[in-house]
């Protein structure tokens, strides 16, 4: 456990592709002390500039399969032809050390985390409407037309899952969405049950 005297909090953020989840999550991790990204395992090839062990742990299909077999994943899923998963051991180690972790994972993965052994705070991000999602995804220019259609084709089912999440943030105006996300992290950190060490230290200074 950390100096804060509590275990880290596991945050999960999911959204239909193109919503702006990565934009929000990156900024949140950059600007929030003691909040780190969890580094997932994936079978997809590194994109230009992606460093192994930093963006992802890049592994081949056999290595991924072996991890599934030895139950090394907190969750894993097939996402757009590749496999992605969160290692359970590294997750536990980070949380035990007291740092908070952010999992940027798809909706299927979030579902597994909810049903898994580690309590998590889950956030769904939605765009204000479908045309905005379409515009953002095509504006990003990272997918060809077929991939774009596939991602958009899954968006409604993914969005329907919002009800299973703890929080819903609508990413219309970026600043508003970002401050709501920050508020969620701040509020979760101030839950009395997580502040026991701090409370005890304060109370011990009071005369009995
Ligand atoms: P995701 O990770 O959800 O797939 P990205 O973070 O890559 O989405 O965002 C998709 C595109 O939309 C990017 O080009 C990003 O700059 C843009 N974007 C994100 N949030 C907003 C916003 N609130 N308003 C306008 N554009 C946004
Ligand atoms: P990308 O290939 O663009 O980095 O990621 C594609 C999608 O996979 C994103 O929606 C991302 O959130 C999701 N993803 C990344 N890592 C994981 C993971 O460990 N588990 C799951 N279930 N999804 C992941």
């Amino acid at each position: 456990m950390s100096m804060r005297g509590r275990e880290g909090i596991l945050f999960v953020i999911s959204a239909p592709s193109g919503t702006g989840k990565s934009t929000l999550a990156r900024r949140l991790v950059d600007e929030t002390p003691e909040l780190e990204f969890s580094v997932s395992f994936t079978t997809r090839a590194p994109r230009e500039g992606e460093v192994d062990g930093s963006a992802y742990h890049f592994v081949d299909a056999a290595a991924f399969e072996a991890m599934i077999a030895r139950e090394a994943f907190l969750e894993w899923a097939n996402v757009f032809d590749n496999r992605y998963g969160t290692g359970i051991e590294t997750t536990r180690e980070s949380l035990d050390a007291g740092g908070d972790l952010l999992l940027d994972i798809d909706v299927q993965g979030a579902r597994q985390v909810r049903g898994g052994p580690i309590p998590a705070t889950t956030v769904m991000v939605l765009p204000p409407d479908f045309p905005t999602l379409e515009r953002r995804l095509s504006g990003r220019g990272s997918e060809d037309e077929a991939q774009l259609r596939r991602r958009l084709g899954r968006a409604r089912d993914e969005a329907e899952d919002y009800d299973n999440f703890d929080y819903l943030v609508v990413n219309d105006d970026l600043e508003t969405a970002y401050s709501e996300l920050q508020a969620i992290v701040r509020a979760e950190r101030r839950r009395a049950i997580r502040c026991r060490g701090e409370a005890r230290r304060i109370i011990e200074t009071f005369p009995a």
Side-chain angles (χ1 to χ4, degrees):
M1 263 189 218
S2 72
M3 282 162 54
R4 278 201 236 143
R6 66 156 173 86
E7 277 196 348
I9 307 168
L10 185 62
F11 290 100
V12 173
I13 183 166
S14 293
S17 181
T19 298
K21 169 187 62 152
S22 307
T23 305
L24 288 164
R26 233 178 282 128
R27 181 165 164 200
L28 189 68
V29 167
D30 282 350
E31 296 180 1
T32 311
E34 296 190 65
L35 178 68
E36 301 287 336
F37 264 126
S38 156
V39 180
S40 297
F41 292 81
T42 184
T43 59
R44 91 152 157 71
R47 293 186 190 128
E48 186 142 346
E50 282 183 337
V51 178
D52 187 35
S54 177
Y56 285 101
H57 301 290
F58 295 98
V59 296
D60 62 21
F64 199 97
E65 200 62 53
M67 286 186 72
I68 297 174
R70 64 182 153 85
E71 299 185 354
F73 288 121
L74 175 62
E75 61 75 34
W76 67 271
N78 292 309
V79 187
F80 310 122
D81 297 331
N82 288 296
R83 288 181 156 185
Y84 296 81
T86 306
I88 194 159
E89 206 170 300
T90 47
T91 302
R92 282 222 165 92
E93 279 167 11
S94 303
L95 297 175
D96 285 349
D100 296 339
L101 261 190
L102 182 61
L103 266 53
D104 169 344
I105 63 177
D106 87 314
V107 166
Q108 311 165 68
R111 194 174 304 138
Q112 293 170 52
V113 172
R114 269 196 303 272
I118 304 178
T121 296
T122 59
V123 183
M124 169 71 98
V125 187
L126 291 181
D129 50 44
F130 186 75
T132 305
L133 183 70
E134 251 181 323
R135 222 171 25 249
R136 283 185 192 160
L137 197 58
S138 57
R140 191 172 69 183
S142 50
E143 280 81 24
D144 64 30
E145 187 61 26
Q147 285 172 337
L148 198 92
R149 289 296 132 205
R150 252 178 99 196
R151 286 179 185 233
L152 291 171
R154 281 174 49 143
R156 184 172 176 133
D157 276 351
E158 291 174 332
E160 292 277 12
D161 214 35
Y162 80 92
D163 215 10
N164 294 312
F165 285 71
D166 296 316
Y167 294 96
L168 172 67
V169 170
V170 178
N171 183 21
D172 187 353
D173 171 61
L174 187 66
E175 292 306 314
T176 306
Y178 181 67
S179 70
E180 287 179 356
L181 204 53
Q182 268 187 321
I184 292 166
V185 171
R186 288 178 176 161
E188 286 295 322
R189 286 181 166 182
R190 297 318 303 173
R191 279 185 183 274
I193 198 166
R194 295 199 170 109
C195 300
R196 279 179 175 159
E198 193 182 355
R200 288 316 321 161
R201 277 193 300 279
I202 293 166
I203 293 164
E204 292 312 322
T205 69
F206 294 9

